[in-house]
Structure formats: structure tokens, C-alpha cells
Amino acid sequence: KKVQISSSTAADASHVFVVFGASGDLARKKIYPTLWALYRDSLMPKGTQIFGYARSKMTVSQLREKCVGTVKAKEGEEELLEQFWAANHYVAGSYDTQGDFERLNQDMVAVEKGIANRLFYLALPPSVFKPVTSMLKAACMSPSGWTRVIVEKPFGKDSASSADLSEHLQKLFTEEQLYRIDHYLGKEMVQNLISLRFGNMIFGPTWNRDSIASVTITFKEPFGTQGRGGYFDEFGIIRDVMQNHLLQILCLAAMEKPVTTSPDDIRNEKVKVLKAIPSLSLSSCVLGQYSGDPDSDDPDARLGYLEDPTVPEGSSCPTFAAAVLKINNERWDGVPFILKCGKALNERK
């Protein structure tokens, strides 16, 4: 299938996609496999160059080796995969040194022709969003085409840090240049929720408190932190999964039909749902932290959360959370929405 990339994109324009945090878990599991799928299906502008940027010193070959389990070619696609990796580049540098970003800019200029369009994807912890975006503005803005910045969740650590980050980004970029995203919403079932709900007449009279006793939204991972405990411990399972991924799904499942399918109209309906949810009390929550199973055949499963060497000693960070939310509106009054999420559980779900 083909998609229209942009009606205003010049035929001689070049495109550069930069992945910040290219050596990280998110890039390996999600971003590079997605970029490969777009490249394979000819859904990228022709000649797009991909740059990975991270603090780790590595080559494109080492990056490819790291992604060998996630970026795969089916039979007959091997040559296309070679072409994909040939379009990749890697730059090692810090996140707060302008000289490193100027070097990245020089490398991008070397592969660009004509109008240069640049897209920067921040697959990074929020602690470095501010220095990275400041360096981008100072050294890496496109001189001739558009510049777009994609900011991954978690968008701050609490209300204060989220507002501070928003204020910082608004000083650097226009709203049209900024894309705040939650990658979980890219899952096919999540994308189909609106069509499922509002495209089926059977759900019109039944999607409410009269026909639904409760709603459970579950996120399970069968593995632990796998060496990422230092990052995870800063946030915990609630900030990492519940307040973004699961709340977004709750909003899609509970909201009223938007006037149109435009992002603004969908957002407005989501906000109405969130405003109708009372603040959560501790009595409506269950928190937990996984421990090791000494009898397991899997060496990873034998390690508890506190046995991850990157986790601070004695940490009380939750790796499991369950919460019951109520929505005080006419459609859902009295229906509990139960959110559950956790790591090192019995299945992937």
C-alpha cells in the first residue's frame, strides 16, 4: 500500500530521520523495527537517511547486531534489508555538548541535497529532554526545509516537571514542529478502538453502565527490568505504564463520540473523561514488587527486582500496580475501571 507523504514536499527534497537514544531499549524494540517496516513497504520518502545518536560509542554494524532480534527480513527481503542498513549512520556524543551536535549537523549536511527536511525522535529519559532540545535549536535546525521534534513519553515526572518541560519546548519550537507521542497507541487494537466502538451499531445502546458491570485494562510483561532497573527505578510502573498507556486506552474506551476524527476533537473528548475521574485514593490501589523464583529454569526469572545490579539498594519502587478508577458521568456512573500493570508476571498480555 502507498501513502501520501506530504502534498507540499518538493520532489528534490531530502529527508533525515534522527533517533536520539539509538543504543537504548526503546530504539531496539520499537523504533528501528518500525523504520525497517516503513522502508520495506516504501512508505518512507525515497532516499531518506537515518541517523542514530547516543552516548555509547558504537558503529552501524554494532547497532545492527544489537537489533538482530527485532529487525528481521523475510525470505526475499534480504537485499532490501542491506539497503536499509546502508542508509543508516551513527554518531556518538553527549546530550549537553554543542560541539557534538554541530558534528551531527555536519554529518547530516553531507548527505542532504536540495531542500533538507529533518525529523528528530527523542527516545530518551525526560531528564535530558531540555538539554537535547536546546542543543537541537542551537545547532541542528534545518536551514531550508522543515524541522520536526518527536517527544516520547514519559513527558515529565509529575505535573510541575511536565509544565516546566512544556514551557521550555514552547520557547524553542512552534506547536507545528512538536509531536508528543505515546508509542503504545500505535498498537493495532488500540488504533481500532474508535472504529470498533463507533462503527458498530450494536455497541451504541449497550456501551454504558446498563450493560457493562466493570472494565479491566491489563498490561503484563513476562520479564523483569533486564538491566534497565536504574532507569525504571526513577519512575516505577505507574509513571512508566499506567498514567500514560493505560489511561489513554481508558479514555478511548470511555469517551463520547468526537465531532470529527481530528486530533483536537478526539483530545477534547478524552479530557472530558479525565475531568470526570475523581482523584485516586490509596485504598483503591494495590502496589507490589517482584521477587525471584529460585526454582525457575530461566536465569532472569531467578532474579528479583532488588537483585538487578542497576537498582538502588533497598528500593521500594513498585513493579506492579492495580487501581480502581470511577468516572462520574451519566454513561459510566457506578462502573469500576480496573487498571492493572506489572513486570515479571506470568504472561505477555
Side-chain angles (χ1 to χ4, degrees), residues 78-99:
E78 294 83 1
E79 187 178 339
L80 207 56
L81 184 62
E82 293 299 325
Q83 294 171 12
F84 169 75
W85 283 112
N88 273 264
H89 313 264
Y90 185 86
V91 177
S94 69
Y95 293 133
D96 56 2
T97 304
Q98 187 165 329

Side-chain angles (χ1 to χ4, degrees), residues 29 34 41 61 71-72 86 102 140 186 205 210 227 277 327 347:
K29 287 183 177 179
T34 303
D41 297 340
S61 298
V71 179
K72 301 175 181 177
E102 289 172 349
C140 292
D210 297 326
I277 299 176
I327 302 176
E347 61 183 342

Side-chain angles (χ1 to χ4, degrees), residues 36-302:
W36 156 238
L38 292 171
Y39 185 91
R40 179 195 62 208
D41 297 340
S42 301
L43 297 177
M44 260 187 196
K46 193 173 181 181
T48 297
Q49 298 293 307
I50 300 166
F51 280 79
Y53 185 100
R55 287 181 286 219
S56 305
K57 294 188 183 301
M58 62 195 311
T59 63
V60 172
S61 298
Q62 290 170 318
L63 178 63
R64 179 175 181 174
E65 184 64 30
K66 196 168 186 177
C67 296
V68 73
T70 55
V71 179
K72 301 175 181 177
K74 296 177 182 176
E75 188 176 349
E77 296 175 348
E78 294 83 1
E79 187 178 339
L80 207 56
L81 184 62
E82 293 299 325
Q83 294 171 12
F84 169 75
W85 283 112
N88 273 264
H89 313 264
Y90 185 86
V91 177
S94 69
Y95 293 133
D96 56 2
T97 304
Q98 187 165 329
D100 290 339
F101 282 79
E102 289 172 349
R103 186 158 48 84
L104 170 64
N105 185 60
Q106 290 169 3
D107 288 357
M108 288 190 292
V109 169
V111 300
E112 289 172 335
K113 299 173 184 176
I115 298 171
N117 298 317
R118 297 177 178 179
L119 190 153
F120 300 97
Y121 193 116
L122 274 59
L124 299 165
S127 57
V128 295
F129 281 173
K130 289 176 75 172
V132 168
T133 50
S134 296
M135 294 297 106
L136 277 182
K137 181 68 174 180
C140 292
M141 299 294 283
S142 171
S144 56
W146 48 252
T147 299
R148 294 172 183 168
V149 180
I150 299 178
V151 184
E152 254 288 3
K153 70 92 193 170
F155 198 75
K157 194 172 181 179
D158 50 29
S159 293
S161 59
S162 178
D164 179 56
L165 181 57
S166 290
E167 185 179 350
H168 170 78
L169 292 173
Q170 286 166 2
K171 290 177 181 176
L172 299 176
F173 309 106
T174 65
E175 191 60 33
E176 290 71 29
Q177 292 174 315
L178 280 173
Y179 293 75
R180 303 170 185 83
I181 73 158
D182 180 342
H183 62 259
Y184 202 76
L185 298 182
K187 288 186 176 291
E188 190 171 358
M189 186 59 208
V190 178
Q191 288 187 320
N192 289 339
L193 260 177
I194 292 179
S195 301
L196 176 73
R197 271 199 64 190
F198 302 118
N200 288 282
M201 292 179 64
I202 190 173
F203 292 133
T206 58
W207 200 279
N208 54 46
R209 63 181 182 173
D210 297 326
S211 304
I212 296 175
S214 67
V215 177
T216 302
I217 302 172
T218 304
F219 175 98
K220 286 183 174 183
E221 285 185 332
F223 50 85
T225 50
Q226 296 181 327
R228 293 178 62 242
Y231 166 80
F232 183 85
D233 203 78
E234 291 182 42
F235 301 97
I237 195 70
I238 295 174
R239 287 190 179 103
D240 194 44
V241 175
M242 186 176 282
Q243 66 88 24
N244 37 60
H245 298 335
L246 299 194
L247 264 188
Q248 288 279 2
I249 296 173
L250 181 151
C251 289
L252 289 171
M255 72 183 189
E256 298 299 320
K257 186 175 182 178
V259 178
T260 72
T261 54
S262 75
D264 287 348
D265 287 336
I266 293 174
R267 180 201 60 203
N268 291 343
E269 294 303 330
K270 287 180 179 178
V271 169
K272 289 177 187 176
V273 173
L274 294 173
K275 284 183 176 179
I277 299 176
S279 297
L280 197 60
S281 62
L282 276 175
S283 60
S284 300
C285 301
V286 175
L287 302 178
Q289 186 184 89
Y290 72 85
S291 56
D293 178 5
D295 300 322
S296 174
D297 295 330
D298 182 359
D300 187 48
R302 289 197 290 267

